[in-house]
């Protein structure tokens, strides 16, 4: 081959062997091995194992990428077929295909170039070094095949193959086009995480318009893989976006938590890769695990209409279908004012009760045992009326873990004759709940119960009533699943022994009709996230029922900080709300801080916060904490959850007594109108007052004696009052929480496996006989039967007694 020929093909002379039959034969073997078998094998291997995607970058993020890569072995195979023919034909279309394949191989060889020097060592020690070598070797094989084919065509007097650079350009254009959604998304994410406010806002608008949601969700996970698109790769190398930053951007773009859906599927994921948990033992729910699910769920409860309270036990079973131990994590929304008073874990079929300790003490004990891969479960608070539950380890290969959560619940008295109970529900979880799983509910009481479908009333005895049914998770989570409990409006006082304080002490609960003190100034904060867009019309309609005496301010929570024009009428607020643009996930803490500052100028004042999920904290809550500490009691924050979901803002305000979650029981408009009605002048409400007294200070009427859970609710009230005092009341609140075995902002509950673990943590589990329980359904019938038999026996004995002479 002449020097001009070498220059025309751009191949160094040292790379080309001297012409000859033996050299041609060895070149064909090289083309077969390096240009056909190796790229075909590595393509199949990567599609099955995702080795490069997990370690370096994903070379086949889409099916189109895989088809383009497949052109490389196909084009080299065509060259071998042509070289094997007695006379090569040099098809123009196939020649174009070959040059495009060369361009694709060159592109991936460039991407893997930083890894190429270490690839031979990776072949020896890790077995994956062929991945970065395959594009370069297949490119050299394609060049060698093109040289041999051109030589054959020249010897035959036929036209040579067209210049390869045109196919290279076509390949690059094709790769740029199919990579465009990924490139635009990465550019938008870089802008959205910029330090400049204008750049962040432009990036969010960009992503909301053209961003790839699936890629955004992939970036929320700690994958080491870089981008396969060249522009994205350069951006990633320069300033990579962390998964935490990506999760925040995902919420701002979509208005949803990244773990609302399972982790994006990884093609060819093998069992040992499935279900890898990056947040194990941490303090966040984290990513949704593939292969971990809720296998069973039941809520049993007893309702005490006299005391207007209920005790619920939520038993749940988690199943792990992966090949490794897993941790189940969930945030649960409790009914308003409820408190966790029992925690049970089944170990080898045996029930183990929890130990109650300080928040730090129980957390440290849990994390220490998790590192040892032994059986703990932990419950701590996660904001007002929310708890975080962590369970580890759920055994692999269809293994199960079973826990029970005991919850003491005060009923909400809607009027003098009716009280209402709402059920707990998941707000965030890292496990799946299938569409065929239902929460089995069974509630019992000594008075009739009624509730929305699918709950059905039943009679269990002459004096016993029940309400049961199966509720799907979406309906349970909507918080409009309620149970009505009739109560006697003439019953004004009930009492119970205070077992936590010991003999001689009782808890007295009084029902009192009092005038409601309405706020004089109301700051309305509306979350402008996309999830609230369908609710805007109901909010506008409800504003017409707002009392006219209220001084109103409107504070929309948006990306761009806005100021209020001061007091406005309800009509003006409704008009401003109608013009509000709902998009993505918005910054609520800043709007709440501005609203608090404005509301605090008048007293009494309130903030009504209408919001959706708050899975990420987009702003600081320190101004809110400062206002509450420096001006205690001046402002109350009413939090109304329009769309259920996790709430990092409320979690950060866990110790703030001014936060008052608002119950949901009907449609949003009806709930708002009911709240506004309570703020009308002259409105009265039935309030519950609990106090601890000496036993000798009350008349012990057996008819008014009620559940021992009354003491737990009194203790929960006292703990809140202590926490209102700040640091001086913290120790008293902790002591009370531990004495009554309650999960509060200063205490937690943990179940460990062995006595040694409890001793190391300085904890002691609750005695099994002292935990609150619910009688089994059959026991109500048994108790009634026993009472009837005892009454008959006493009556017969009395009739058999001899009559005394006069």
């Amino acid at each position: 081959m002449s020097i001009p020929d070498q220059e025309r093909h751009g191949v160094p002379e040292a790379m080309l062997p001297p012409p000859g039959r033996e050299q041609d034969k060895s070149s064909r073997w090289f083309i077969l091995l390096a240009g056909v078998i190796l790229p075909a094998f590595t393509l199949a291997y990567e599609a099955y194992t995702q080795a490069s995607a997990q370690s370096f970058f994903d070379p086949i993020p889409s099916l189109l990428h895989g088809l383009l890569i497949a052109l490389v072995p196909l084009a080299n195979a065509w060259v071998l077929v042509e070289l094997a023919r007695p006379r090569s034909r040099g098809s123009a279309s196939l020649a174009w295909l070959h040059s495009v394949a060369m361009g694709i191989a060159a592109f991936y060889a460039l991407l893997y170039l930083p890894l190429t020097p270490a690839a031979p060592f990776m072949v020896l020690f890790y077995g994956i070094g062929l991945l970065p070598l395959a594009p370069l070797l297949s490119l050299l094989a394609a060049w060698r095949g093109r040289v041999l084919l051109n030589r054959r065509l020249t010897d035959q007097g036929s036209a040579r193959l067209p210049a390869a650079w045109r196919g290279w350009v076509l390949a690059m254009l094709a790769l740029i086009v199919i990579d465009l959604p990924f490139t635009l998304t990465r550019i938008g994410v870089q802008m959205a995480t910029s330090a400049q406010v204008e750049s962040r806002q432009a990036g969010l608008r960009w992503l909301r318009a053209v961003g790839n949601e699936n890629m955004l969700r992939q970036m929320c996970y700690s994958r080491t893989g870089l981008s396969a698109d060249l522009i994205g790769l350069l951006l990633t190398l320069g300033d990579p976006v962390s998964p935490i930053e990506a999760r925040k951007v995902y919420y701002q773009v979509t208005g949803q938590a990244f773990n609302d859906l399972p982790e994006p599927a990884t093609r060819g994921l093998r069992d040992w890769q499935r279900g890898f948990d990056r947040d194990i033992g941490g303090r966040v729910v984290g990513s949704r695990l593939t292969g971990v699910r809720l296998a069973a769920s039941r809520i049993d409860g007893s309702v005490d209409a006299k005391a207007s309270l209920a005790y619920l036990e939520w038993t749940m079973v988690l199943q792990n279908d992966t090949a490794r131990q897993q941790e189940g994590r969930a945030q649960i929304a409790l009914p308003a004012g409820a408190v966790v008073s029992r925690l049970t874990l089944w170990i080898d079929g045996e029930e183990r009760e929890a130990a109650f300790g300080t928040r730090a003490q129980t957390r440290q004990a849990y994390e220490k045992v998790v590192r040892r891969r032994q059986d703990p479960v932990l419950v701590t608070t996660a904001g007002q009326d929310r708890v975080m539950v962590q369970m580890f380890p759920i055994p692999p290969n269809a293994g199960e873990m079973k826990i029970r959560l005991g919850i003491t619940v005060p009923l909400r008295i809607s009027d003098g004759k009716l009280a209402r109970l709402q059920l707990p529900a998941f707000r965030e979880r890292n496990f799946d709940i299938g569409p065929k799983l239902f929460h089995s509910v069974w509630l019992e009481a000594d008075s009739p119960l009624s509730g929305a479908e699918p709950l059905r009333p039943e009679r269990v005895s002459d004096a016993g009533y029940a309400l049961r049914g199966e509720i799907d998770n979406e309906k349970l989570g909507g918080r409009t699943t309620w149970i009505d409990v009739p109560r006697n409006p003439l019953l004004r006082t009930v009492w119970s022994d205070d077992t936590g304080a010991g003999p001689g002490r009782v808890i007295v609960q009084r029902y009192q009709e009092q005038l409601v003190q309405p706020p004089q100034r109301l700051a309305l904060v509306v979350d402008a996230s996309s999830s609230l867009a369908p609710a805007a019309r109901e909010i506008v309609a409800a504003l017409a029922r707002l009392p006219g005496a209220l001084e109103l301010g409107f504070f929309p929570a948006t990306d761009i900080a806005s100021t209020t024009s001061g007091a406005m009428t309800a009509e003006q607020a409704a008009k401003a709300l109608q013009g509000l643009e709902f998009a993505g996930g918005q910054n609520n803490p800043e709007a709440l801080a501005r609203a608090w500052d404005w509301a605090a100028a008048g007293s009494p004042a309130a903030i009504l916060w209408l919001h959706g999920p708050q899975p990420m904290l987009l702003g600081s809550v320190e101004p809110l904490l400062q206002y509450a500490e420096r001006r205690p009691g001046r402002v109350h924050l009413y939090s109304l959850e329009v769309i259920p979901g996790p709430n990092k803002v409320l979690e950060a305000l866990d110790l703030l007594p001014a936060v008052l979650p608002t119950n949901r029981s009907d449609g949003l408009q009806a709930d708002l109108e009911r709240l506004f009605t309570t703020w009308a002048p002259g409105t009265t409400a039935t309030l519950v007052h609990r106090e601890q007294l000496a036993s000798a200070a009350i008349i012990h009427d057996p008819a008014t004696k009620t559940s021992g859970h009354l003491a737990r609710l009194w203790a929960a009230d006292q703990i809140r009052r202590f926490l209102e005092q700040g640091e001086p009341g913290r120790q008293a609140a902790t002591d009370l929480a531990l004495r009554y075995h309650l999960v509060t902002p200063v205490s937690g509950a943990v179940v460990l496996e062995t006595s040694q673990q409890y001793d190391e943590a300085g904890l002691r589990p609750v005695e099994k006989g002292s935990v609150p329980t619910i009688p089994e359904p059959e026991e109500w019938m048994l108790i009634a039967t026993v009472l009837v038999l005892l009454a008959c026996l006493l009556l017969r004995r009395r009739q058999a007694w001899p009559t005394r002479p006069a």
Side-chain angles (χ1 to χ4, degrees):
M1 189 175 182
S2 64
I3 292 178
D5 287 338
Q6 297 172 14
E7 293 175 350
R8 181 165 50 250
H9 290 288
V11 182
E13 184 177 1
M15 186 181 297
L16 297 176
R21 182 178 299 273
E22 292 299 325
Q23 292 294 335
D24 286 351
K25 185 177 180 180
S26 61
S27 295
R28 292 182 189 182
W29 276 106
F30 175 70
I31 296 170
L32 176 63
L33 294 174
V36 179
I37 296 178
L38 179 61
F41 170 78
T42 53
L43 176 61
Y45 180 79
E46 173 63 20
Y48 176 67
T49 66
Q50 290 285 283
S52 178
Q54 298 292 337
S55 303
F56 311 125
F57 65 86
D58 190 356
I60 43 176
S62 70
L63 179 61
L64 285 176
H65 286 82
L67 294 176
L68 287 178
I69 295 173
L71 291 179
V72 176
L74 290 175
N76 285 328
W78 165 73
V79 170
L80 288 177
V81 171
E82 288 296 318
L83 291 175
R85 294 176 185 273
R87 183 175 179 83
S88 301
R89 291 176 294 184
S91 169
S93 58
L94 291 176
W96 269 95
L97 177 67
H98 188 262
S99 60
V100 168
M102 291 178 65
I104 294 168
F107 174 79
Y108 281 98
L110 179 63
L111 288 182
Y112 278 109
L113 186 60
L115 301 175
T116 302
F121 302 99
M122 296 167 65
V123 172
L124 295 175
F125 295 102
Y126 299 101
I128 60 173
L130 291 176
L131 290 174
L133 285 178
L136 178 61
L137 293 175
S138 60
L139 175 62
L140 294 176
W143 269 113
R144 183 57 183 160
R146 196 173 188 86
V147 168
L148 293 178
L149 193 55
N150 272 327
R151 182 191 300 168
R152 172 75 66 86
L153 292 173
T154 301
D155 294 343
Q156 294 174 177
S158 302
R160 300 170 62 85
L161 298 179
W165 66 268
R166 299 174 183 176
W168 286 45
V169 172
L170 185 60
M172 293 300 172
L173 290 176
L175 287 167
I176 289 174
V177 169
I178 65 174
D179 282 335
L180 192 59
F182 304 100
T183 301
L184 294 178
T185 300
R186 288 196 178 273
I187 293 174
V189 170
Q190 290 290 328
M191 295 172 63
T193 54
S194 169
Q196 302 297 322
V197 176
E198 296 80 6
S199 180
R200 289 201 303 269
Q201 293 172 354
L204 292 175
R205 290 193 296 269
W206 179 301
L207 290 170
R208 288 167 185 165
V210 299
N212 184 293
E213 183 177 340
N214 189 64
M215 182 181 181
L216 271 177
R217 199 148 48 90
Q218 287 179 341
M219 295 175 67
C220 295
Y221 295 85
S222 302
R223 291 173 175 169
T224 56
L226 304 176
S227 173
D229 59 295
L230 190 57
I231 299 176
L233 178 62
L234 295 176
L235 288 173
T236 305
L237 291 175
D239 187 16
V241 176
S242 69
I244 299 300
E245 292 175 313
R247 294 173 184 182
K248 184 179 293 187
V249 172
Y250 182 86
Y251 164 63
Q252 292 177 290
V253 172
T254 66
Q256 298 177 329
F258 80 102
N259 55 5
D260 277 352
L261 298 171
E263 182 177 354
T266 306
R267 296 171 307 282
L269 198 62
R270 299 185 296 184
D271 288 342
W272 64 270
Q273 294 172 305
R274 190 162 167 250
F276 180 71
D277 188 0
R278 303 163 185 86
D279 302 296
I280 189 168
R283 306 193 181 195
V284 297
V285 172
S287 56
R288 184 78 64 86
L289 295 177
T290 301
V292 181
R293 61 187 177 86
L294 184 67
S297 171
R298 56 181 284 185
I299 299 176
D300 299 89
S302 61
V303 181
D304 189 331
K306 289 190 298 184
S308 300
L309 63 82
Y311 174 65
L312 307 176
E313 288 188 343
W314 190 353
T315 304
M316 58 189 80
V317 179
L318 266 65
Q319 182 171 311
N320 174 19
D321 295 326
T322 71
R324 54 162 57 92
Q325 293 177 337
Q326 299 288 4
E327 180 187 39
R329 298 183 295 273
Q331 276 198 17
I332 296 175
L334 305 178
V339 61
V340 171
S341 52
R342 185 184 186 186
L343 174 62
T344 311
L345 170 66
W346 274 259
I347 300 177
D348 297 328
E350 180 184 348
E351 296 182 23
R352 304 284 184 88
E353 296 299 329
F356 289 79
T358 66
R359 191 182 183 100
Q361 194 177 20
T362 53
R363 163 67 61 182
Q364 290 170 3
Y366 178 83
E367 293 177 352
K368 184 176 182 180
V369 177
V370 164
R371 289 193 293 268
R372 296 178 182 177
R373 304 288 177 179
Q374 292 173 317
D375 284 314
V377 57
L378 173 70
V379 175
T380 53
T381 57
Q384 194 75 264
D385 297 325
R386 296 193 179 207
V387 293
M388 173 85 163
V389 182
Q390 296 177 252
M391 301 161 271
F392 182 89
I394 311 173
N397 303 319
E400 293 183 345
M401 193 170 189
K402 181 178 179 180
I403 70 164
R404 174 172 56 213
L405 209 61
I407 307 168
T408 301
V409 184
L411 305 187
R412 180 171 63 88
I413 301 176
S414 55
D415 57 47
K417 299 180 180 179
L418 193 67
R420 177 161 286 183
L421 166 67
Q422 285 188 322
L423 299 176
F426 290 116
R427 279 297 173 265
E428 189 179 12
R429 51 191 165 80
N430 73 334
F431 48 85
D432 289 328
I433 298 179
K436 295 183 179 180
L437 185 133
F438 291 85
H439 304 276
S440 180
V441 177
W442 184 293
L443 303 173
E444 294 197 352
D446 55 3
S447 59
L449 303 174
S450 61
E453 287 291 339
L455 298 177
R456 304 177 299 278
E458 290 185 359
R459 289 293 297 270
V460 294
S461 67
D462 291 341
Y465 300 84
L467 192 70
R468 70 181 184 90
E470 293 186 335
I471 305 176
D472 63 52
N473 192 63
E474 183 177 356
K475 190 173 183 64
L476 182 69
R479 297 309 296 272
T480 55
T481 301
W482 41 260
I483 295 95
D484 281 337
V485 182
R487 58 179 302 273
N488 181 6
L490 301 178
L491 184 63
R492 312 303 297 176
T493 304
V494 295
W495 64 279
S496 171
D497 292 323
D498 187 354
T499 55
R505 308 297 291 180
V506 295
I507 301 297
V508 177
Q509 176 171 286
R510 295 184 175 89
Y511 299 98
Q512 301 172 345
E513 293 294 326
Q514 293 184 2
L515 283 173
V516 177
Q517 184 181 21
Q520 296 179 357
R521 174 174 279 207
L522 175 66
L524 178 62
V525 178
V526 178
D527 179 10
S529 300
S530 57
S531 60
L532 263 74
R537 183 176 298 179
E538 290 187 86
I539 300 173
V540 169
L543 284 175
R545 299 291 299 273
L546 195 67
L550 274 175
E551 185 180 3
L552 179 65
F554 179 57
F555 297 84
T558 62
D559 289 331
I560 304 174
S562 59
T563 58
T564 178
S565 57
M568 62 177 65
T569 64
E571 291 77 12
Q572 290 172 326
K575 186 175 181 180
L577 182 59
Q578 288 173 329
L580 193 61
E581 181 181 356
F582 294 89
Q586 304 292 334
N587 187 342
N588 281 251
E590 289 186 6
L592 288 171
R594 287 184 283 107
W596 201 301
D597 192 30
W598 178 84
S603 183
I607 299 172
L608 177 57
W609 179 31
L610 308 179
H611 60 86
Q614 306 289 308
M616 303 300 298
L617 202 58
L618 300 181
S620 173
V621 297
E622 287 302 322
L624 296 175
L625 297 174
Q626 186 180 49
Y627 289 141
E629 292 171 2
R630 299 303 178 189
R631 299 178 178 179
R634 293 181 66 88
V635 179
H636 287 96
L637 172 59
Y638 292 86
S639 167
L640 196 150
E641 186 181 51
V642 178
I643 305 297
N647 196 314
K648 294 297 182 184
V649 178
L650 289 181
E651 189 174 343
L653 301 177
D654 196 5
L655 293 173
L656 197 62
V659 178
L660 304 172
T662 305
N663 285 287
R664 293 293 312 278
S665 58
D666 295 303
L668 177 61
Q669 182 177 343
D671 288 335
L672 285 174
E673 290 177 349
R674 186 182 302 109
L675 177 63
F676 295 159
T677 300
T678 64
W679 290 340
T683 302
T684 62
T686 303
L687 301 182
V688 175
H689 175 72
R690 304 181 188 95
E691 61 179 333
Q692 186 189 66
L693 298 173
S695 178
I698 69 165
I699 299 175
H700 293 77
D701 183 0
T704 60
K705 184 177 181 180
T706 185
S707 167
H709 286 282
L710 207 59
R712 296 181 177 90
L713 292 180
W714 169 83
D717 293 340
Q718 290 296 111
I719 290 168
R720 294 188 189 100
R721 295 189 184 100
F722 283 135
L723 292 178
E724 289 179 7
Q725 302 172 12
E727 195 61 33
R730 190 180 183 93
Q731 186 58 51
T734 303
D735 294 340
L736 202 59
L738 300 187
R739 186 189 313 159
Y740 286 85
H741 302 151
L742 302 178
V743 175
T744 70
V746 293
S747 61
V750 63
V751 181
L752 306 177
E753 188 173 11
T754 65
S755 300
Q756 181 183 354
Q757 292 169 359
Y758 283 113
D759 293 339
E760 290 176 355
L763 297 169
R764 187 171 65 180
V766 178
E767 295 293 336
K768 195 169 185 178
S770 65
V771 295
T773 58
I774 294 176
E776 294 295 329
E778 307 83 33
E779 289 185 272
W780 291 95
M781 294 287 290
L782 182 60
I783 292 171
T785 303
V786 170
L787 290 176
V788 171
L789 291 175
L790 287 175
C792 293
L793 182 61
L794 290 174
L795 181 61
R796 287 184 179 181
R797 287 188 175 182
R798 186 171 184 178
Q799 291 174 348
W801 288 344
T803 305
R804 293 182 179 179

